[in-house]
Amino acid sequence: MSANHTRAQSRGIRITVVGVLLFILLVIAAFVHRTGQPRVMPAAEMQANGAYLLETPRDIGDFELIDHHGEPFTPARLEGHWTLLFFGFTFCPDICPTTMSFLNQFVEALEGTEARDTQVAMISVDPARDTVAQLAGYVPFFNEDFIGVTGEFLDIHRFATALNTPFRKVPGQDENYLVDHSANVVLINPRGDYHGFFKAPLDLAKMKVTYRSIRVLWDR
């Protein structure tokens, strides 16, 4: 056997080995990438994690409220990103500050695109006391990017009703009254439609993985 033939055989073997190794590396890389991607949870698992999605996202109609900067808060403010809405009030002694703190932790745990296109808004269920100035001194305390929203009582009531989040003033109290309201967090999709809600009590780890799953399902 000639030396040239032997070298050709050796070169062919090396090329084959390199090709096999590259194939193995590609398979491993694809597996790692796939396992690193959020998976789509079935509805039962989402509900076990506290997320309830509407079978068909609902158009919540027109509305015109006002944010804590004095700017209009209309349907256009809900389009092009995901929005988490919490209905509360600044004089709330427990549920509201706890939930707002939780939502701050939640958005701080998000990364990349999830962090960039997720907004949080607190809709006041006590517009008589929650003026623009009152919200401006309350909402940014939890997160500078959070939005406080107020408006006329009937407008807020219609908005809350469209999102299945009723509230009512506790009767028989003085000016330091409380307001009964839901502690759920409403999820609005990038079309501005009512997509579902996260049921209280909220769990950071469960809500984070479920939110990612919801987004993956939406992008399909």
Side-chain angles (χ1 to χ4, degrees):
M1 182 179 295
S2 67
N4 288 338
H5 184 71
T6 301
R7 284 196 297 271
Q9 274 190 327
S10 298
R11 186 165 57 250
I13 292 171
R14 286 197 298 269
I15 291 173
T16 301
V17 170
V18 169
V20 171
L21 290 175
L22 286 174
F23 176 75
I24 292 173
L25 288 174
L26 286 173
V27 171
I28 293 173
F31 175 77
V32 170
H33 176 75
R34 187 170 59 254
T35 56
Q37 296 301 303
R39 65 184 179 85
V40 175
M41 296 180 180
E45 186 175 357
M46 286 193 184
Q47 291 178 12
N49 280 355
Y52 293 77
L53 303 186
L54 277 66
E55 289 189 12
T56 302
R58 182 189 308 164
D59 181 355
I60 56 180
D62 195 21
F63 58 88
E64 187 167 352
L65 304 173
I66 187 168
D67 72 13
H68 71 277
H69 297 296
E71 299 295 328
F73 189 83
T74 63
R77 298 283 294 272
L78 301 178
E79 296 174 358
H81 42 246
W82 292 88
T83 303
L84 299 171
L85 297 179
F86 171 66
F87 286 78
F89 63 112
T90 64
F91 290 84
C92 176
D94 40 34
I95 293 175
C96 300
T98 298
T99 303
M100 292 292 281
S101 295
F102 173 89
L103 289 172
N104 176 60
Q105 292 178 334
F106 177 76
V107 297
E108 287 187 342
L110 301 178
E111 299 175 353
T113 303
E114 290 178 358
R116 289 191 297 272
D117 68 2
T118 300
Q119 72 173 0
V120 175
M122 187 189 88
I123 315 299
S124 175
V125 295
D126 183 21
R129 292 182 295 184
D130 284 346
T131 62
V132 169
Q134 178 71 14
L135 287 172
Y138 180 85
V139 174
F141 172 79
F142 298 96
N143 189 300
E144 288 289 339
D145 294 326
F146 284 7
I147 304 168
V149 180
T150 188
E152 297 295 327
F153 176 83
L154 289 179
D155 293 334
I156 290 177
H157 189 269
R158 281 193 293 267
F159 187 60
T161 300
L163 296 171
N164 300 121
T165 51
F167 63 89
R168 69 180 184 90
K169 180 180 176 180
V170 177
Q173 298 184 345
D174 55 20
E175 66 275 5
N176 296 318
Y177 60 86
L178 298 177
V179 181
D180 279 338
H181 62 92
S182 171
N184 296 339
V185 172
V186 174
L187 180 64
I188 306 295
N189 66 37
R191 281 203 302 261
D193 295 335
Y194 176 28
H195 201 77
F197 64 92
F198 295 96
K199 184 176 177 60
L202 305 170
D203 180 280
L204 185 60
K206 290 181 179 180
M207 184 168 169
K208 183 178 177 181
V209 70
T210 307
Y211 179 56
R212 286 180 173 173
S213 180
I214 292 169
R215 291 172 59 106
V216 171
L217 184 60
W218 170 265
D219 289 335
R220 282 188 166 184

